[in-house]
Amino acid sequence: MMDEWTAAFEGWMRANAAWVGPATFLVAFLESFPVVSIVVPSTALLLAIGALIGGGLADPWPVLAACALGGMLGDAAGYWLARAVGPYAVRRRLPASCRRVYAWSVTVFRRWGWWAVFAGRFLGPMRAVTPLAAGVTGMRNRAFQSANILSALLWAPLVLMPGSIGGWLARELGQEPDPLLLAATAGGALLLWLSYLRLRPVLSGALKARR
C-alpha cells in the first residue's frame, strides 16, 4: 500500500509541478516531526521528489529551501512540544515501539548534547525522538536551534540527492541507452559499493572506540 501511495504522490506532483515546493515542505516537516515519520513514508516521498529534480521537472533551489525549512520547523515543533508537556507526558504518550529508542536517545543526548541533536537528524531511529529528548532534558533553545538549523541545511541536499541522481540517469539514458554510459554507471555504482564495504569496518571500529 505504501508503494501505491508513493506512486500516486509522484504522479500528482508530475501533474502539478507548481506545488512541488509546498509538498516538499510538508513531507520534510512530517519526516522531522517526532514519531510521525515512523507512520508516514516520508523518505520514499523525498526520493520521488528528488527524482523530479533529476528529471528536470522541478527547480532544485526552491525545493531544497522547502526541504530544509520543513526539516527545521518539524524538529523545532517537536522540541517546543516536549518543553511544553514535560518528560512524564512525553514518555506516557510515546508508542511502545519508540520507547526504547527514546530512552537511548536521552542517554546519548545527555552525554553528547549539541552533537547528538546534529547527528540525530541523519539517523532514522533517532530522528523520530531526538527533538523530544532535547526538550525533556532542558537543552537551551539557542543551542538546540543552532544544531537544528545547521543539520537541516546539510540534510536537505543529502536526502534529495539519491532520487535526483536516479532521475538524472533515467533522463540521460532514455529509451535507448548508450552501452558505454550504462557500463560507466554500473562501474561507478560498484566502486561506491566496494568503498563502502571497505570503510564500514573502519568507521564501526572508530565509533566503538569513541564510545
Side-chain angles (χ1 to χ4, degrees), residues 134-199:
V136 300
T137 53
M139 184 178 189
R140 292 183 178 181
N141 183 65
R142 180 177 297 180
F144 174 82
Q145 298 303 343
S146 65
N148 175 29
I149 293 171
L150 182 58
S151 63
L153 291 174
L154 295 176
W155 171 76
L158 288 176
V159 76
L160 293 172
M161 187 182 299
S164 299
I165 293 174
W168 176 80
L169 285 174
R171 183 180 62 178
E172 292 298 315
L173 294 175
Q175 295 182 351
E176 297 181 359
D178 184 350
L180 291 177
L181 184 57
L182 279 176
T185 302
L190 179 60
L191 181 60
L192 289 174
W193 177 247
L194 292 176
S195 300
Y196 167 73
L197 293 178
R198 184 71 179 270
L199 290 174

Side-chain angles (χ1 to χ4, degrees), residues 11-62:
W12 178 84
M13 286 192 299
R14 288 180 181 274
N16 300 273
W19 288 93
V20 173
T24 303
F25 171 84
L26 178 60
V27 173
F29 180 90
L30 295 176
E31 172 69 6
S32 301
F33 191 79
V35 181
V36 175
S37 60
I38 299 175
V39 180
V40 179
S42 308
T43 302
L45 298 179
L46 290 172
L47 288 174
I49 292 170
L52 294 180
I53 296 175
L57 301 176
D59 189 350
W61 296 112

Side-chain angles (χ1 to χ4, degrees), residues 5-145:
W5 289 355
T6 303
F9 178 76
E10 184 175 2
W12 178 84
M13 286 192 299
R14 288 180 181 274
N16 300 273
W19 288 93
V20 173
T24 303
F25 171 84
L26 178 60
V27 173
F29 180 90
L30 295 176
E31 172 69 6
S32 301
F33 191 79
V35 181
V36 175
S37 60
I38 299 175
V39 180
V40 179
S42 308
T43 302
L45 298 179
L46 290 172
L47 288 174
I49 292 170
L52 294 180
I53 296 175
L57 301 176
D59 189 350
W61 296 112
V63 174
L64 277 171
C67 186
L69 184 60
M72 292 175 199
L73 293 182
D75 265 19
Y79 168 79
W80 289 325
L81 177 64
R83 291 288 296 269
V85 303
Y88 174 73
V90 169
R91 288 195 300 269
R92 188 161 58 89
R93 288 176 170 81
L94 273 178
S97 60
C98 296
R99 290 174 184 171
R100 179 174 296 180
V101 178
Y102 167 76
W104 180 75
S105 297
V106 170
T107 303
V108 171
F109 176 80
R110 285 175 174 164
R111 181 173 182 181
W112 299 105
W114 190 94
W115 286 106
V117 177
F118 180 86
R121 169 85 66 185
F122 304 94
L123 303 174
M126 281 190 67
R127 184 165 57 247
V129 293
T130 293
L132 299 179
V136 300
T137 53
M139 184 178 189
R140 292 183 178 181
N141 183 65
R142 180 177 297 180
F144 174 82
Q145 298 303 343

